[in-house]
Amino acid sequence: MMETTADPGASVLVVDDEQRLADLYASHLQTTYRVETAYSGAEALELIDDEFDVVLLDRRMPELPGDQLLDRIRAEGYSGRVVMVTAADPDFDIVDMPFDEYVIKPVTGEEIRDVVEAQLLLDSYEMRLNEYFRLKSKLRTLEGSKPRFELKTTTATRN
């Protein structure tokens, strides 16, 4: 089991046409996260926005299957983490699908918690890495335009 470093403010959307299964996944997560459920792709489209940090998405749903829903939400700008949680065996088509992880059912409560925690942790690393590169770019810019003595003086006075 993964050591928990969960963000208590994180939110998860569980999307599965099997209501009992969606509710079960939600019950495993709701003590740690804000959780909402959608029992169809259409219902998920109404709910989903960037407030959700992680979406757990069933691939096999009638009317609007998970892979089509995934394409639509990405096209509409959803940038959060998406985990396909499905009974559909993976094939080569998953290579081009814009999800973050693929989990094959059946899934235990512990596995659901672990996969959400891992996605939140990766998101945290990504934000830190992006911040690092932003700061590195600023430093490189300053190093290219300021005399070395001025950089040393400014650094010394900022500490």
Side-chain angles (χ1 to χ4, degrees):
M1 183 170 159
M2 179 176 288
E3 179 183 324
T4 186
T5 57
D7 173 3
S11 60
V12 179
L13 176 61
V14 179
V15 184
D16 199 310
D17 63 309
E18 294 180 49
Q19 185 173 346
R20 288 188 353 215
L21 197 52
D23 291 344
L24 179 64
Y25 294 160
S27 73
H28 290 300
L29 298 168
Q30 64 190 7
T31 58
T32 309
Y33 309 106
R34 183 179 67 84
V35 181
E36 292 192 42
T37 53
Y39 306 119
S40 70
E43 188 179 350
L45 274 176
E46 291 177 18
L47 290 173
I48 198 159
D49 59 28
D50 279 328
E51 295 299 313
F52 288 104
D53 300 291
V54 178
V55 174
L56 301 179
L57 180 58
D58 182 22
R59 188 171 180 188
R60 289 184 179 163
M61 294 187 293
E63 297 173 30
L64 183 57
D67 47 355
Q68 291 177 20
L69 175 60
L70 176 61
D71 287 340
R72 286 195 52 190
I73 63 175
R74 291 298 194 206
E76 292 174 9
Y78 176 73
S79 60
R81 314 295 286 190
V82 176
V83 178
M84 298 298 274
V85 182
T86 182
D89 288 328
D91 204 345
F92 291 106
D93 64 338
I94 69 168
V95 172
D96 294 322
M97 294 175 69
F99 59 79
D100 297 290
E101 191 162 345
Y102 198 95
V103 179
I104 299 174
K105 294 176 183 175
V107 183
T108 66
E110 183 176 340
E111 290 169 319
I112 285 293
R113 286 187 300 271
D114 285 352
V115 75
V116 169
E117 181 67 29
Q119 291 306 310
L120 291 170
L121 191 58
L122 287 169
D123 197 41
S124 168
Y125 289 160
E126 187 175 299
M127 287 187 301
R128 290 178 185 159
L129 188 58
N130 287 339
E131 178 65 14
Y132 168 78
F133 283 118
R134 279 193 295 276
L135 291 172
K136 188 72 174 165
S137 174
K138 291 173 185 178
L139 177 61
R140 192 173 40 252
T141 300
L142 289 171
E143 287 173 338
S145 64
K146 297 288 185 186
R148 193 165 190 76
F149 76 88
E150 192 175 341
L151 289 172
K152 285 185 177 186
T153 304
T154 302
T155 302
T157 58
R158 290 190 149 232
N159 290 332

